[in-house]
Amino acid sequence: MQEIRVELTKNPKQKPAPGAPLPFGTIFSDHMFLMDYDKGKGWHDARIVPFGNLDMSPAAMCLHYGQSVFEGMKAYRAVDGRILLFRPDRNMARMNSSNDRLCIPQIDEKFAEKAIEKLVSVDKDWIPTSEGASLYIRPFIIGMDPHIGVHPANHLLFIVITCPVGNYYPEGLNPVKIYVEKNYVRAVRGGMGYTKTAGNYAASLKAQDEAEKQDYTQVLWLDGVERKYIEEVGTMNVFFKINGEVVTPELQGSILPGVTRMSVIEILKKWGVPVVERRLSIQELADAAKDGKLEEAFGSGTAAVISPIGHLKWGDDIMVINDGKIGELSQKLYDTLTGIQWGKIPDPFGWTVEVK
Ligand SMILES: *Cc1c(COP(=O)(O)O)cnc(C)c1O
């Protein structure tokens, strides 16, 4: 394995005061990880250096054609003081799946995981300790060649930056209002929906903006071809409890395979709660709501963990779920996942990885 050179900052930044607000993704820790790729040479020059601006050409390919992938994960300060990561191997495997789709060279997953652990260890004093706070980790890869021409890059950068982030729910879990998107689509089978790549988010901005103007938190995407089947919410996968059974859309290429989604399914199976991955149409959901069978709905993702949905709008059809209150199962899943992540309860799945 490559050595990781470490150059510590000579100008450490002032850390946020304990308990100070930590708006998501706005405060960055002192260091970052960098590694270059050059065709013929492979990944090389792994290093942890002071956080700072990149030196890049305005012709850098990622700026023009979006050859970029990213990941999102967190480091948690456990109740006993240990530092924990949650299933980092799944994030690195997903990054390689995104890499493959974007013609980005594969990374050594084990090495990348070690690099992240080392970066978190160097900046461990940046992990906030207040209730529900964590260190958000953003690994990403960008094509760097200064070349205005569409082809895969020969020179790329793998970068990891981290941000202390506060509790997503400072006032407790509040169900959100979601709006079913009828005009825009996010991804289609054969496209890039299953990858974490910049273009998917560029495609989502307009719908998100219109949803916010109407006082909705996010949109629920339907499939891009028939506009009938439920896919996912802005940055979350989605689950519905219908007549005692938990249903989530099956992965078929246009949906992001969330690590939280996978974990929810595994937990439900362990509890013996019926859970199925299948196609689910918005009409079926509306019918279930009318018949009083739509018991709970929630989104799942690293940032919010579990986000209960209390109100769903599909055209003129308004579905109010569980009287707009959080469901029992949603709450139990939230408590279990966050309990494992912060080391408050045993981790029977072996999902957490300690950073020394
Ligand atoms: C990251 C992401 C998710 C959630 O994935 P997790 O691994 O659970 O954080 C869901 N949908 C989209 C579009 C995402 O970008």
Side-chain angles (χ1 to χ4, degrees):
M1 259 195 212
Q2 279 189 65
E3 285 279 312
I4 301 175
R5 177 168 65 80
V6 180
E7 178 195 333
L8 296 179
T9 179
K10 296 192 180 67
N11 303 297
K13 287 181 279 194
Q14 177 87 44
K15 293 188 185 65
L22 298 169
F24 192 88
T26 55
I27 303 164
F28 301 96
S29 60
D30 273 331
H31 298 88
M32 61 182 179
F33 174 83
L34 288 175
M35 178 165 68
D36 288 270
Y37 178 91
D38 283 282
K39 198 172 177 180
K41 204 170 170 189
W43 290 106
H44 64 93
D45 206 9
R47 59 215 186 263
I48 289 170
V49 294
F51 181 94
N53 292 344
L54 302 175
D55 182 14
M56 73 199 299
S57 164
M61 293 179 60
C62 62
L63 300 175
H64 302 269
Y65 307 117
Q67 196 190 14
S68 68
V69 298
F70 69 91
E71 271 303 322
M73 51 208 283
K74 285 176 171 175
Y76 309 84
R77 179 66 76 172
V79 284
D80 60 5
R82 288 177 307 148
I83 300 166
L84 301 178
L85 300 177
F86 183 74
R87 312 190 79 175
D89 56 324
R90 303 318 308 162
N91 291 94
M92 294 303 102
R94 184 170 65 193
M95 190 169 219
N96 264 342
S97 155
S98 300
N99 286 342
D100 176 63
R101 180 67 181 80
L102 274 287
C103 289
I104 290 174
Q106 295 284 292
I107 53 166
D108 176 337
E109 293 169 22
K110 284 259 152 42
F111 177 74
E113 202 182 314
K114 288 283 164 247
I116 289 168
E117 286 177 27
K118 190 152 183 166
L119 178 66
V120 168
S121 179
V122 165
D123 276 336
K124 60 176 177 293
D125 294 341
W126 282 88
I127 307 173
T129 49
S130 53
E131 176 73 27
S134 58
L135 189 72
Y136 185 78
I137 304 168
R138 168 51 57 89
F140 61 108
I141 301 178
I142 48 179
M144 293 291 284
D145 306 28
H147 187 166
I148 305 280
V150 181
H151 67 84
N154 293 320
H155 176 211
L156 299 99
L157 265 185
F158 176 76
I159 308 174
V160 187
I161 55 177
T162 69
C163 329
V165 296
N167 192 337
Y168 206 85
Y169 299 107
E171 286 119 35
L173 271 90
N174 268 329
V176 292
K177 284 171 71 184
I178 302 275
Y179 145 139
V180 181
E181 180 54 57
K182 290 186 129 184
N183 298 319
Y184 305 109
V185 301
R186 170 185 177 272
V188 291
R189 290 167 82 169
M192 308 188 294
Y194 67 94
T195 70
K196 266 181 135 68
T197 185
N200 288 336
Y201 304 86
S204 75
L205 294 174
K206 181 98 175 141
Q208 176 68 23
D209 191 51
E210 290 182 9
E212 280 172 21
K213 283 191 185 125
Q214 296 180 55
D215 210 23
Y216 284 82
T217 317
Q218 293 199 359
V219 302
L220 177 68
W221 297 108
L222 299 180
D223 76 278
V225 178
E226 295 179 74
R227 314 272 183 108
K228 266 167 65 177
Y229 296 98
I230 293 170
E231 300 235 301
E232 61 179 312
V233 178
T235 53
M236 295 186 291
N237 296 112
V238 70
F239 289 83
F240 301 95
K241 182 161 169 259
I242 304 170
N243 205 16
E245 182 183 64
V246 179
V247 183
T248 193
E250 66 184 355
L251 302 176
Q252 27 57 337
S254 56
I255 298 174
L256 200 286
V259 177
T260 320
R261 174 189 183 278
M262 178 192 300
S263 307
V264 164
I265 293 171
E266 288 170 49
I267 290 172
L268 290 174
K269 285 190 173 152
K270 184 153 200 275
W271 288 346
V273 176
V275 53
V276 288
E277 300 172 66
R278 66 168 169 87
R279 293 225 287 186
L280 173 66
S281 73
I282 186 70
Q283 185 66 56
E284 180 185 342
L285 196 73
D287 292 345
K290 254 185 222 91
D291 297 345
K293 289 181 177 158
L294 176 54
E295 294 154 359
E296 297 188 31
F298 60 89
S300 73
T302 296
V305 190
I306 297 292
S307 184
I309 300 170
H311 173 125
L312 201 58
K313 174 178 154 61
W314 177 41
D316 297 330
D317 207 336
I318 305 278
M319 306 170 218
V320 175
I321 303 153
N322 197 35
D323 290 329
K325 296 193 299 276
I326 179 165
E328 201 183 311
L329 189 65
S330 312
Q331 181 75 55
K332 204 174 147 199
L333 283 164
Y334 178 81
D335 293 342
T336 303
L337 277 163
T338 55
I340 291 173
Q341 288 163 341
W342 273 278
K344 293 178 190 165
I345 59 171
D347 170 15
F349 303 94
W351 284 339
T352 52
V353 171
E354 187 180 348
V355 176
K356 304 270 185 185

